[in-house]
């Protein structure tokens, strides 16, 4: 899209944040432009062209804007700036560094540099003169917090190059030339530690994208045990408001076994982002002992920030994730909520007076969502290293109805479904993931099954399926009891129901606000599941159905005390001993 | 409205619809205010030299040769300490017979707070109402609505919460208030001797509905003045936000926009979020807390207005009549304060989170027992006990007329647990049962 002369134009019409610009030269779809309004420059993106009129969505409020104002087109699409210093930053949806902005209130037309240009990084070369390289090849590395951050051949560079020179190990700022490469014609390209990438395009500098096969531990039992997600997997969390989407995402971002966590707060509450700003610098990464914030980048485009930038925010986040994946890292990407992004698309589509699809969403919503999810994944890089982007998005279905366009479109794109149930949330059974409706397609992948058997245990898969079966049969038993009445069903129905309650209370329910219960290691999950299944396999003596609930409540209570205790601690063992005693007394 | 030097006057309208007028004009800014035939309007669309103005009070009787004067500015409010104790209409003009306020002119609908400049809310607001303090504790800087059917006493509850909340200023934004409710608020604030810390912006049912659209921004501009310039804790009351949203849909329908669910504009979420997200804790100590009312029709919270609201606010307080005890309660199931975990067990007693959850769980068991009963089944001993518990819990804790401190609420809960259940049935951490169980 490089052009010699920059195209300019004049504002010809304004409807909210949709502005029509009369242009005097070529423009491209999705090209960025600036509208000059008094001493402010308002950034906008071309979303439609009709004759000499470019329709642009403005990433700012258009208050006071007049017809006739000058517009300058930039010759490129919306881009992220990639280089060391992205971690621990708080960006808005357009990758402006929020901490660099002055004042308490956001100022229209203020754009800040995503990187710190004067920080020196200790660069260690990884490539040498004569090496043959392509886009994404590693030229060297710097330590960003504790993460080895690879400096790569820019993703935009097509074709093969030869390394002419790489600087010696030493301290450099991001704009210093750290390598020179030449193309087939011998043209030289000096490279720095910074590159740019258009956010709407997928980075494709990997060799192969196999199906994900490795478990990604999240510490959340009803995910890891029942419906596991994989490194490079995709999942989504739909649920009515207040059922725990955000709490669950925050829990996963704190606990998951990822190298990098990118959180896109997309059109949701500002205070929820503040919670991350406030807590992550204090919390330890359980694996490295360093602070969580060191591996985290936040993209905050909260609900009161400009709507057009909301759409951009998820793409910005995905591009940053792709950048780190290309370094051979495990990236976890969270977007809360993808429905807000869909709504941003809807607002604009309506303003453009496009033919609406279901619920007035744009016709191509499903394609847009699938396309986005497809950017996640596990990859082999050309140098044999692996990297992954695990993506989990929340969906906020209107009226809590899962038959709405965003949920349905996402269901087609994501492989794990963690449906939050209003009834479970109402009765405080957190996390409110519905154990019957939710699924992980990965459990059906032979390569995942093999991996689980090897890493968690021989009996693991069998146990998981058994637990699911007990939950399912328990639900059926409960329905029968509700239809026929407590004493009109055999006692075995009560037994079956309470065994499913046992799994529900001990394995599924997990207190996200309790220090110990919040996160459970795989080893502990395995131990607890087989312990609970032993109980489920046992036959107990009951004289009447009321004894059943009384007994299981005591069992559950002791298990809960175990969940609240440090694994294998004295307290844990003590509660376990009381539990064994209780069980023995009832055994047949 | 004051006249300004750069006013441009036009006298030829090209189009008139129910809510808008169009004319040829140049040099007009988007969102700019104008008077049309003496009525206030705002620019909503510009296409070349065609300008569309939304006339707040409607276009009835406006002739094609009406005088249109552009003001060269968006809607504004004058702010100073003189706001205190005063009553204004949706345009910020006094309706209490007092003088115009002198002070700095501010545009309403100002930019958002930079999220990194916010502080995490942390100050508990005690209301004495256990349905709130025990199960859904409020925190300053929070935004939360009451969800209530139109016949419930939401304005009364909101007024008592406001007066007990110990805010430096209370700002009332009334939208579609009946005259009686307007006088009720005036009366309650007067009686409490609180008038001097109250500012009111009121659109009553007598005023044109579209004018309501200005009320939240007026109220919040005043709130920002006190919270930012004066570092005060400000409580903003917005009632009834359903009527605000209705006004939004009137405008968007008249402007031929494609409606989404429940004939609401597709931008409803963003429109409401822009208002509610003004709730904030500033690092300098000032704060804005928003308590709103969203009336429901027939208790339906899946309607687009409560639904979008619930997705934006930090919880909701659901008022419901409990026929068992004949009183209005704060429903523990559908109510939620999302910020409660920042304060409970920290600024309140350590057992608070577990007691709260256990009580609600037992209350849910009672609801199941009631279903059994309705379906004609025998109740178990446990079912009977949950029903007794639920009644006492509702009466002594959930009813909105309760007014006690949080420790007492917790003690009452333990008393009820101990009376109706055994420890395993209550299922809280052993360390708390050991300490608080009533033998
Ligand atoms: N795992 C959990 N443990 C305890 N409480 C929870 C849990 N998940 C959710 N909650 C409660 O539910 C509230 C709403 O959760 P949130 O994640 O904000 O909902 P959503 O994002 O779906 O609207 C939280 O403020 C908290 O009180
Ligand atoms: Mg949420």
């Amino acid at each position: 899209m490089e052009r010699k002369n920059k195209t300019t134009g004049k504002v010809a019409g304004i409807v909210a944040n949709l502005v029509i610009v009369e242009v005097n030269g070529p423009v491209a779809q999705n090209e960025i432009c600036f509208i000059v309004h008094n001493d402010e420059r308002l950034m906008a993106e071309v979303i439609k062209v009709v004759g000499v009129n470019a329709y642009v969505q403005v990433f700012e409020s258009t208050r006071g804007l007049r017809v006739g104002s000058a517009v300058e087109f930039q010759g490129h699409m919306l881009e992220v700036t990639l280089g060391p210093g992205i971690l621990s930053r708080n960006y808005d949806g357009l990758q402006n560094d929020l901490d660099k902005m002055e004042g308490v209130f956001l100022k229209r037309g203020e754009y800040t540099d995503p990187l710190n240009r004067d920080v020196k990084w200790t660069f260690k070369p990884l490539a040498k003169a004569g090496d043959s390289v392509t886009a994404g090849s590693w030229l060297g590395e710097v330590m960003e917090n504790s993460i080895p951050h690879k400096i790569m051949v820019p993703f935009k560079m097509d074709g093969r190059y030869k390394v002419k020179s790489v600087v010696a190990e030493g301290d450099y700022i991001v704009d210093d030339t750290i390598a020179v490469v030449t193309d087939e014609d011998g043209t030289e390209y000096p490279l720095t530690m910074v590159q740019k990438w258009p956010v709407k395009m997928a980075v494709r500098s990997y060799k192969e994208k196999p199906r994900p096969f490795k478990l990604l531990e999240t510490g959340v039992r009803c995910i890891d045990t029942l419906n596991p997600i994989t490194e490079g997997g995709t999942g989504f969390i739909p649920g009515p408001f207040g059922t725990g989407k955000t709490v669950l995402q925050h829990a996963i971002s704190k606990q998951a076994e990822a190298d990098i966590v990118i959180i896109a707060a997309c059109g949701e509450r500002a205070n929820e982002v503040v919670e991350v700003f406030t807590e992550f610098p204090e919390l330890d990464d359980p694996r490295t002992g360093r602070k969580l914030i060191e591996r985290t980048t936040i993209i905050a485009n909260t609900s009161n920030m400009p709507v057009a930038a909301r759409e951009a925010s998820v793409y910005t986040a995905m591009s940053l994730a792709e950048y780190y994946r290309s370094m051979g890292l495990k990236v976890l990407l969270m977007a809360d909520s993808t429905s807000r992004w869909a709504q941003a698309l809807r607002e604009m589509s309506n303003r453009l007076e496009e033919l609406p699809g279901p619920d007035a969403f744009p016709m191509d919503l499903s394609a847009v969502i699938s396309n986005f999810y497809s950017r996640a994944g596990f990859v082999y890089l050309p140098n044999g290293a692996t990297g992954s982007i695990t993506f989990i998005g929340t969906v906020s279905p209107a009226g809590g109805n899962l038959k709405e366009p965003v949920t349905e479109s996402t269901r087609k794109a994501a492989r794990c479904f963690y449906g939050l149930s209003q009834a479970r949330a109402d009765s405080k059974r957190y996390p409110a993931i519905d154990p019957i409706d939710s699924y992980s397609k990965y459990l059906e992948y032979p390569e995942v099954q093999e991996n689980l058997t090897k890493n968690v245990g021989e009996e693991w898969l069998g146990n998981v399926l058994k637990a699911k079966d007990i939950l399912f049969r328990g639900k059926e038993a409960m329905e029968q009891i509700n239809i026929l009445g407590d004493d009109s069903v055999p006692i075995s129905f009560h037994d079956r129901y309470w065994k499913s309650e046992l799994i529900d209370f001990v394995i599924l329910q997990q207190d996200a606000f309790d220090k110990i219960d919040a996160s459970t290691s795989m080893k502990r999950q395995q131990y607890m599941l087989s312990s609970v299944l032993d109980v489920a396999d046992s036959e107990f003596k009951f004289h009447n159905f009321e004894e059943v609930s009384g007994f299981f409540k005591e069992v559950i209570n002791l298990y809960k005390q175990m969940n609240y205790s440090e694994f294998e601690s004295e307290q844990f063992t003590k509660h376990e001993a009381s539990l064994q005693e209780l069980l023995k007394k009832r055994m047949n | 409205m004051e006249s300004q030097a750069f006013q441009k006057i036009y006298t030829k309208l090209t189009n008139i619809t129910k809510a808008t007028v169009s004319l040829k004009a140049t040099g007009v800014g988007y969102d700019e205010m104008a008077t049309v035939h003496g009525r206030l309007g705002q620019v909503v669309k510009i296409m070349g030299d065609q300008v569309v103005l939304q006339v707040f009070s409607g276009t009835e009787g406006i002739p094609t040769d009406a005088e249109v004067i552009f003001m060269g500015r968006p809607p504004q409010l004058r702010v100073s300490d003189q706001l205190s104790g005063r009553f204004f209409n949706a345009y910020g003009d006094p309706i209490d017979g007092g003088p115009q306020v002198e002070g700095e002119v501010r545009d309403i609908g100002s930019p958002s707070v930079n999220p990194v400049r916010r502080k995490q809310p942390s100050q508990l607001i005690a209301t004495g109402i256990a349905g709130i303090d025990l199960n859904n504790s409020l925190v300053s800087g929070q935004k939360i609505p009451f969800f209530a059917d139109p016949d419930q006493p939401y304005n009364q509850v909101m007024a008592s919460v406001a007066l007990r909340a110990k805010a430096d200023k209370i700002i009332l934004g009334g939208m579609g208030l009946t005259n009686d409710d307007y006088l009720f608020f005036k009366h309650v604030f007067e009686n409490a001797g609180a008038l001097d810390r109250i500012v009111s912006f009121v659109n009553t049912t007598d005023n044109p509905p579209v004018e309501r659209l200005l009320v939240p921004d007026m109220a919040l501009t005043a709130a920002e003045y006190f919270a930012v310039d004066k570092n005060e804790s400000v409580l903003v009351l917005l009632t009834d936000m359903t009527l605000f949203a209705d006004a939004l849909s009137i405008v968007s329908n008249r402007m031929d926009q494609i409606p989404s669910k429940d004939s609401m504009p597709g931008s409803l979420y963003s429109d409401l979020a822009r208002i509610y997200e003004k709730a904030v804790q500033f690092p300098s100590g000032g704060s804005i807390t928003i308590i709103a009312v969203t009336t429901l029709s027939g208790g339906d919270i899946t309607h687009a207005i409560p639904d979008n609201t619930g997705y934006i606010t930090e919880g909701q307080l659901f008022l419901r009549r409990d026929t068992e005890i004949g009183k209005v309660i704060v429903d523990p199931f559908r109510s939620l304060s999302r910020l409660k975990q920042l304060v409970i067990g920290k600024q309140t007693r350590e057992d608070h989170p577990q007691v709260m959850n256990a009580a609600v769980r037992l209350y849910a068991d009672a609801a199941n027992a009631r279903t059994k009963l309705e379906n004609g089944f025998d109740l178990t001993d446990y079912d009977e006990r949950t029903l007794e518990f639920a009644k006492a819990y509702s009466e002594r804790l959930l009813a909105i007329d309760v007014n006690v401190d949080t420790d007492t609420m917790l003690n009452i809960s333990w008393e009820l647990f101990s009376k109706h259940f055994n420890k395993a049935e209550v299922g809280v951490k052993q360390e708390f049962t050991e300490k608080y169980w009533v033998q």
Side-chain angles (χ1 to χ4, degrees):
Chain A
M1 218 201 279
E2 301 294 313
R3 258 182 235 123
K4 280 219 187 75
N5 300 312
K6 279 199 173 165
T7 299
T8 58
K10 283 202 169 357
V11 172
I14 309 154
V15 193
N17 74 330
L18 175 67
V19 168
I20 298 162
V21 182
E22 212 178 285
V23 294
N24 64 8
V27 287
Q29 175 74 334
N30 296 111
E31 182 168 349
I32 292 296
C33 63
F34 285 96
I35 302 171
V36 184
H37 174 63
N38 303 332
D39 53 354
E40 293 167 328
R41 287 162 57 79
L42 313 183
M43 192 167 161
E45 179 187 17
V46 177
I47 50 173
K48 175 168 131 178
V49 183
V50 180
V52 293
N53 286 330
Y55 288 65
V56 305
Q57 60 172 346
V58 186
F59 294 121
E60 306 273 1
S61 152
T62 52
R63 176 176 271 186
L65 193 63
R66 284 181 214 97
V67 162
S69 299
V71 182
E72 299 163 4
F73 288 84
Q74 301 301 300
H76 63 77
M77 298 196 279
L78 181 64
E79 292 181 328
V80 279
T81 304
L82 303 171
I86 289 172
L87 295 179
S88 316
R89 286 270 104 73
N90 305 313
Y91 294 126
D92 72 2
L94 305 175
Q95 210 200 0
N96 292 298
D97 186 340
L98 288 166
D99 290 286
K100 285 189 188 141
M101 297 188 172
E102 277 178 34
V104 171
F105 292 93
L106 296 169
K107 238 181 82 221
R108 175 165 78 170
E110 185 177 4
Y111 305 107
T112 56
D113 195 334
L115 299 180
N116 287 338
R117 302 284 166 170
D118 40 16
V119 173
K120 290 216 159 167
W121 300 90
T122 305
F123 175 86
K124 235 175 45 205
L126 293 174
K128 54 183 189 314
D131 285 357
S132 167
V133 292
T134 54
S137 295
W138 300 350
L139 296 169
E141 79 181 11
V142 301
M143 288 308 266
E144 179 181 14
N145 299 338
S146 59
I147 309 282
H149 181 121
K150 304 292 189 286
I151 307 300
M152 295 172 272
V153 176
F155 301 138
K156 276 186 186 172
M157 293 182 66
D158 287 337
R160 279 213 163 265
Y161 298 84
K162 233 187 185 66
V163 176
K164 179 159 184 269
S165 60
V166 181
V167 291
E169 178 163 349
D171 292 350
Y172 302 89
I173 59 169
V174 290
D175 291 315
D176 284 335
T177 297
I178 48 91
V180 177
V181 297
T182 55
D183 64 14
E184 280 167 3
D185 305 335
T187 314
E188 292 188 2
Y189 298 87
L191 304 178
T192 67
M193 293 193 230
V194 186
Q195 59 166 315
K196 294 203 170 202
W197 182 255
V199 297
K200 296 254 167 97
M201 315 272 264
V203 173
R204 296 205 193 275
S205 63
Y206 49 81
K207 194 172 73 196
E208 202 191 329
K209 202 185 220 182
R211 297 210 303 187
F213 57 92
K214 261 193 203 163
L215 173 74
L216 181 87
E217 277 188 49
T218 68
V220 179
R221 296 191 289 264
C222 60
I223 294 182
D224 294 355
T225 294
L226 230 52
N227 291 306
I229 193 157
T230 49
E231 274 176 34
T234 51
F236 78 119
I237 309 172
F241 62 80
T243 50
K245 298 181 292 296
T246 306
V247 170
L248 183 58
Q249 271 209 339
H250 283 189
I252 298 170
S253 25
K254 283 177 200 165
Q255 298 156 197
E257 290 243 72
D259 300 316
I260 306 286
V261 177
I262 297 174
I263 300 176
C266 170
E268 292 280 309
R269 305 175 184 84
N271 276 340
E272 291 172 345
V273 193
V274 175
E275 195 179 312
V276 180
F277 294 156
T278 316
E279 288 179 3
F280 278 37
E282 305 295 324
L283 293 173
D284 293 328
D285 178 346
R287 297 175 316 137
T288 60
R290 311 201 39 142
K291 296 297 174 208
L292 277 182
I293 200 74
E294 295 186 29
R295 67 168 193 181
T296 309
T297 297
I298 299 160
I299 316 287
N301 214 95
T302 57
S303 58
N304 54 340
M305 291 163 80
V307 176
R310 196 192 287 170
E311 190 218 336
S313 69
V314 291
Y315 289 99
T316 297
M318 182 56 90
S319 303
L320 298 184
E322 287 172 328
Y323 178 57
Y324 281 99
R325 175 174 66 184
S326 305
M327 298 174 198
L329 296 169
K330 278 194 265 185
V331 184
L332 175 67
L333 176 62
M334 302 290 214
D336 187 13
S337 151
T338 59
S339 292
R340 306 301 162 218
W341 150 46
Q343 283 178 336
L345 294 175
R346 173 168 73 184
E347 281 184 34
M348 202 30 82
S349 153
N350 293 359
R351 239 162 247 148
L352 286 170
E353 296 174 3
E354 288 174 352
L355 197 64
D359 289 1
F361 281 106
M363 286 295 217
D364 60 349
L365 179 70
S366 206
V368 171
I369 290 176
S370 295
N371 194 288
F372 186 80
Y373 273 79
S374 73
R375 287 172 72 172
F378 182 94
V379 299
Y380 289 108
L381 301 172
N383 64 6
T386 62
S388 63
I389 299 173
T390 308
F391 175 60
I392 301 178
T394 64
V395 171
S396 316
N401 170 13
L402 298 189
K403 293 239 162 337
E404 56 88 48
V406 185
T407 316
E408 293 203 313
S409 305
T410 310
R411 202 190 273 274
K412 287 179 214 153
R415 309 299 287 166
C416 295
F417 169 79
Y418 303 115
L420 301 189
S421 129
Q422 183 76 61
R424 287 184 70 83
D426 284 350
S427 52
K428 313 281 174 214
R429 294 182 179 222
Y430 291 121
I433 300 180
D434 187 314
I436 308 283
D437 294 346
S438 300
Y439 58 78
S440 161
K441 293 269 190 229
Y442 298 117
L443 264 186
E444 297 160 16
Y445 289 18
E447 55 270 51
V448 172
Q449 295 178 343
E450 195 181 312
N451 194 270
L452 286 172
T453 307
K454 203 171 109 210
N455 294 314
V456 191
E458 278 295 327
E459 75 301 346
W460 180 248
L461 264 175
N463 279 355
V464 170
L465 297 179
K466 193 157 144 194
K468 283 181 178 243
D469 189 52
I470 293 172
L471 286 165
F472 187 73
R473 284 157 48 92
K475 192 180 170 210
E476 283 179 341
M478 182 199 60
E479 281 163 2
Q480 288 298 313
I481 296 171
N482 282 347
I483 295 169
L484 300 171
D486 284 325
D487 40 13
S488 309
V489 296
I491 289 186
S492 64
F493 278 49
H494 290 273
D495 181 69
R496 202 177 296 155
Y497 167 63
W498 274 99
K499 281 175 175 167
S500 75
E501 284 288 273
L502 177 69
I503 295 181
D504 192 334
F505 274 91
V506 180
I507 307 290
L508 304 187
Q509 293 175 43
Q510 193 171 1
D511 187 345
F513 303 113
D514 184 84
K515 262 204 195 83
I516 294 167
D517 198 29
S519 179
T520 310
S521 69
M522 216 50 217
K523 188 171 158 221
R524 182 172 182 161
Q525 291 190 40
Q526 190 214 4
Y527 183 85
M528 292 305 283
L529 183 66
S530 68
S531 166
V532 165
L533 288 177
D534 280 346
V535 177
D537 277 341
S538 310
E539 287 187 22
F540 302 103
K541 270 196 300 278
F542 297 113
H543 300 99
N544 56 50
F545 71 86
E546 286 192 53
E547 273 181 25
V548 185
S549 58
F551 168 70
F552 276 104
K553 273 181 199 167
E554 282 183 70
V555 174
I556 288 169
N557 186 37
L558 284 168
Y559 267 121
K560 273 174 84 175
Q561 307 301 335
M562 285 166 74
N563 277 348
Y564 285 128
S565 314
E566 208 76 69
F567 188 40
E568 291 171 338
S569 65
E570 200 179 311
Q571 227 191 3
F572 181 90
T573 328
K574 195 192 88 195
H575 291 306
E576 195 172 27
S578 326
L579 176 71
Q580 289 312 328
E581 212 159 298
L582 180 73
L583 293 171
K584 225 182 284 154
K585 274 194 277 176
R586 276 278 168 190
M587 293 282 195
N588 250 338
Chain B
M1 289 289 146
E2 72 282 19
S3 55
Q4 282 170 12
F6 44 82
Q7 281 174 351
K8 307 169 203 97
I9 303 180
Y10 296 86
T11 53
K12 192 162 179 288
L13 300 182
T14 50
N15 279 314
I16 306 178
T17 69
K18 266 190 189 162
T20 62
V21 300
S22 312
L23 68 155
K24 271 193 169 176
T26 52
V28 174
Y30 192 74
D31 258 2
E32 180 171 340
M33 295 292 279
T35 57
V36 181
H37 203 55
R39 302 177 202 176
L40 279 173
Q42 189 171 16
V43 175
V44 290
K45 185 173 179 176
I46 308 176
M47 280 297 157
D49 58 2
Q50 280 289 319
V51 175
V52 183
L53 283 159
Q54 162 183 313
V55 182
F56 289 105
S57 55
T59 54
E60 292 89 345
I62 291 184
T64 50
D65 63 348
E67 198 174 69
V68 179
I69 307 172
F70 289 95
M71 296 178 179
R73 59 164 184 83
Q76 292 173 331
L77 177 71
R78 278 186 188 275
V79 293
S80 71
D81 279 339
Q82 292 178 18
L83 287 168
S84 309
R86 301 293 309 275
F87 287 81
F88 305 93
N89 66 11
Y91 305 113
D93 294 325
I95 51 170
D96 52 7
Q100 285 284 353
V101 167
E102 294 162 357
E104 192 190 322
V105 173
R106 299 244 167 116
D107 293 354
I108 70 165
S110 60
S112 315
V113 173
N114 183 341
V116 301
R117 301 280 178 265
R118 285 172 178 258
K119 229 187 111 195
Q120 189 167 39
S122 63
Q123 193 52 52
L124 177 80
I125 299 178
T127 70
I129 300 173
I132 298 177
D133 295 3
L134 180 62
N135 291 340
N136 302 290
S137 319
L138 302 183
V139 185
S140 55
Q142 184 166 11
K143 46 193 178 285
I144 192 164
F146 281 99
F147 281 179
D149 279 333
D151 60 345
Q152 269 148 6
Y154 48 82
N155 281 337
Q156 283 79 336
V157 181
M158 194 162 78
S160 34
V161 169
L163 289 172
R164 289 180 200 162
K166 303 200 180 84
D168 296 323
K169 287 283 178 310
I170 299 172
I171 313 230
L172 172 68
M175 289 152 283
L177 271 191
T178 62
N179 201 49
D180 293 3
D181 279 342
Y182 165 52
L183 294 176
F184 162 78
F185 276 112
K186 215 170 162 177
H187 185 74
V188 177
F189 293 154
E190 236 160 26
N191 274 4
L195 260 194
D196 59 332
R197 50 189 188 98
I198 289 170
V199 189
S200 303
F201 296 87
V202 179
N203 155 279
T204 63
T205 40
D206 306 342
N207 307 130
V210 178
E211 285 182 10
R212 279 171 213 158
L213 295 178
L214 294 170
V215 168
D217 282 341
M218 284 289 170
L220 290 161
T221 303
E224 275 178 355
Y225 165 73
F226 290 111
V228 178
D229 298 39
K230 303 278 165 178
N231 288 333
E232 292 188 345
S233 66
V234 183
L235 178 62
V236 178
L237 310 177
L238 299 174
T239 175
D240 169 356
M241 286 299 282
T242 297
L243 297 179
F244 170 83
D246 284 342
L248 282 176
S249 78
I250 294 175
V251 172
S252 75
N253 288 351
R254 284 183 186 161
M255 295 193 43
D256 293 329
Q257 284 167 7
I258 308 160
S260 57
K261 200 169 168 275
D262 298 317
S263 44
M264 284 291 144
S267 59
L268 181 64
Y269 178 83
S270 305
D271 296 336
L272 292 175
R274 208 176 46 72
I275 293 168
Y276 283 117
E277 279 294 332
K278 288 278 180 187
V280 55
Q281 175 68 57
F282 292 106
S284 55
S287 66
I288 299 176
T289 309
I290 301 180
I291 299 184
V293 168
T294 301
T295 49
L296 309 175
S297 74
D300 179 15
I301 62 161
T302 63
H303 183 281
I305 300 172
D307 187 49
N308 279 282
T309 304
Y311 276 118
I312 293 163
T313 53
E314 283 147 350
Q316 65 280 338
L317 300 166
F318 199 99
L319 295 185
R320 173 170 74 80
R321 175 160 291 278
D322 184 343
T323 44
E324 200 86 351
I325 62 162
K327 283 182 179 173
V328 175
I329 62 165
V330 181
D331 187 318
F333 298 148
R334 297 334 267 298
S335 303
L336 168 71
S337 163
R338 292 162 185 270
L339 300 190
K340 62 174 184 261
Q341 47 261 20
L342 299 174
V343 292
I344 60 173
K346 296 173 186 156
Q347 286 173 44
T348 62
R349 219 165 71 186
E350 50 175 2
D351 55 327
H352 188 161
Q354 293 235 332
V355 168
M356 166 189 83
N357 281 332
V360 175
R361 208 179 50 241
L362 294 165
Y363 192 71
D365 285 349
N368 289 339
R370 206 163 293 126
T371 317
K372 266 196 204 172
L373 200 60
E374 283 159 9
N375 294 342
F377 293 128
D378 292 342
L379 295 185
T380 64
D381 164 59
Y382 177 76
D383 291 333
E384 303 277 6
R385 287 185 285 125
T386 57
L387 287 178
E388 282 163 34
F389 163 78
K391 186 153 183 237
Y393 178 59
S394 196
E395 180 100 48
R396 295 184 60 190
L397 290 168
L398 297 181
I400 51 166
D401 58 2
V402 171
N403 185 8
V404 292
D405 65 35
T406 314
D407 277 5
T408 310
M409 297 170 194
L410 292 168
N411 293 340
I412 294 175
S413 308
W414 281 108
E415 185 196 318
L416 298 179
F417 289 164
S418 317
K419 183 167 169 208
H420 300 283
F421 303 107
N422 64 43
K423 291 177 187 167
E425 285 165 341
V426 174
V428 303
K429 266 192 200 171
Q430 206 176 3
E431 54 171 303
F432 298 140
T433 354
E434 274 164 14
K435 203 155 158 192
Y436 297 108
W437 194 262
V438 184
Q439 296 303 334

